[in-house]
Amino acid sequence: MTRPLTAPPVFRFAPSPNGYLHLGHALSALDGYEKAKQASGRFHLRIEDIDTARSREVYIAAIFEDLAWLGLTWEVPVLQQSQHFPRYLAMADKLTALGVLYPCFATRSEIAAAAAANPTALDPDGAPLYPGLHKHLSLEDIALRRARGEQAALRVDVEKAIALAGRKLDGQPLTFTEIDSAGLQHTLNATPQIWGDAVIVRKETPASYHLAVVADDAFQGVTHVTRGRDLFAATGLHRLLQVLLDLPEPLYSHHRLLLGPDGRKLAKSAGDTSLRDLRNSGARLSDIRRIVQLENAPNETP
Ligand code: GLU
């Protein structure tokens, strides 16, 4: 996959429609959008709704409304991940053919019980590392469980995958390029092993965040991934998947997070004030820019 040297850079904002956008999203969306404008680049909005149980149409409609209010424009059609499951499965098939995925039939409670033996082994999100329960199931056992109708997630054998990526990179280290807030580029080591054998295809939905984001950044020709620091650790795993799937390598910028008064990051699930509530209570774009501490707020007609 080659890009013409003169092609404009491509940025994206990729919210999940499982709640109303809050100030952290405003920072993220404006950050990506303004970087795209400064670079005379293109800007995509992508709806990350693979979690069909938590995604709601009303939140998708609100995303369009809130971002338009923030002054953003984006290319159409907007990619909605729930419409692209076959494409993610094709990527998963490629990983399976490389021998780096294995099925895991274990239930959440079985995994939690096995992980309790090692309570300090946690992934960067604080979830227990997969304790390897179904890592070495025999082919007969797998066939039997499938015949019984048991559902399986597909997990990456991360050590095996790293070894394969190393061979594909001719022994060069797995890295990614981070652009800092001053615009300087840094080459950083990617450490996907901190996620353990992460889920690449979920049981209940034929994709996972990691697989879909990597597939779509490539599909949309994204050259610059801008997102919050809460996703910094995920980048190592994304780079691993990109190398295995022969996908291009974007540049990354992970912006600061906005914290609530109690020091935790803002979250829809914690009911932090939504942009629409702020707007309905009379806030203007200039207020939002001031609160999220974005400099160079443009002049705005009240
Ligand atoms: N959908 C993710 C979220 O809302 C962001 C994905 C990304 O930017 O890579 O947190």
Side-chain angles (χ1 to χ4, degrees):
M1 246 180 274
T2 49
R3 257 172 65 81
L5 283 174
T6 50
V10 183
F11 294 72
R12 64 18 169 223
F13 174 59
S16 303
N18 50 20
Y20 290 116
L21 299 186
H22 54 61
L23 287 166
H25 295 106
L27 169 61
S28 207
L30 288 164
D31 180 63
Y33 183 70
E34 289 180 4
K35 284 184 172 135
K37 292 288 131 195
Q38 278 155 20
S40 305
R42 298 169 55 189
F43 182 76
H44 290 296
L45 166 64
R46 182 164 80 219
I47 302 295
E48 300 214 323
D49 60 344
I50 58 165
D51 189 344
T52 45
R54 292 174 66 217
S55 298
R56 298 272 178 276
E57 281 300 324
V58 60
Y59 296 136
I60 297 178
I63 287 171
F64 290 125
E65 209 177 295
D66 291 346
L67 295 182
W69 179 67
L70 289 176
L72 271 60
T73 55
W74 51 86
E75 295 190 10
V76 287
V78 170
L79 192 155
Q80 195 169 333
Q81 289 190 322
S82 60
Q83 308 299 313
H84 293 263
F85 286 129
R87 201 156 47 74
Y88 309 137
L89 279 182
M91 294 271 174
D93 285 347
K94 200 167 165 191
L95 293 170
T96 299
L98 292 173
V100 297
L101 298 188
Y102 62 89
C104 169
F105 300 87
T107 61
R108 271 172 206 276
S109 51
E110 283 169 339
I111 295 172
N118 203 357
T120 55
L122 301 174
D123 75 13
D125 287 343
L129 285 179
Y130 179 65
L133 277 183
H134 285 183
K135 189 161 184 170
H136 303 290
L137 292 183
S138 66
L139 290 178
E140 293 73 33
D141 195 354
I142 292 171
L144 194 70
R145 287 171 184 270
R146 288 220 159 108
R148 282 203 299 252
E150 281 185 43
Q151 296 291 312
L154 295 179
R155 290 181 177 271
V156 63
D157 180 333
V158 77
E159 296 301 337
K160 200 170 172 185
I162 290 171
L164 178 58
R167 290 200 290 282
K168 292 189 76 144
L169 293 168
D170 289 328
Q172 295 299 308
L174 182 66
T175 58
F176 63 99
T177 303
E178 175 79 9
I179 306 181
D180 69 18
S181 53
L184 300 174
Q185 294 196 7
H186 306 271
T187 303
L188 303 177
N189 283 325
T191 54
Q193 62 275 19
I194 57 179
W195 294 96
D197 286 359
V199 171
I200 299 301
V201 176
R202 293 199 218 161
K203 255 187 200 179
E204 66 282 7
T205 204
S208 65
Y209 159 63
H210 299 301
L211 182 65
V213 84
V214 158
D216 282 340
D217 283 337
F219 184 71
Q220 296 188 290
V222 171
T223 56
H224 291 67
V225 172
T226 58
R227 58 188 179 193
R229 280 200 77 80
D230 52 334
L231 292 169
F232 183 84
T235 302
L237 182 53
H238 298 174
R239 282 292 300 129
L240 176 65
L241 297 177
Q242 286 158 0
V243 170
L244 294 174
L245 292 164
D246 300 312
L247 302 176
E249 176 182 359
L251 299 165
Y252 288 89
S253 304
H254 294 92
H255 60 73
R256 65 191 157 84
L257 297 178
L258 293 182
L259 304 179
D262 51 0
R264 59 166 180 80
K265 81 171 172 106
L266 299 182
K268 287 174 274 208
S269 50
D272 280 305
T273 315
S274 66
L275 288 176
R276 62 197 298 108
D277 284 348
L278 289 166
R279 182 167 73 241
N280 291 339
S281 59
R284 292 179 310 169
L285 175 54
S286 53
D287 299 319
I288 303 298
R289 295 184 65 90
R290 190 175 32 75
I291 302 169
V292 303
Q293 296 162 340
L294 270 173
E295 291 157 4
N296 307 324
N299 291 336
E300 187 199 358
T301 15

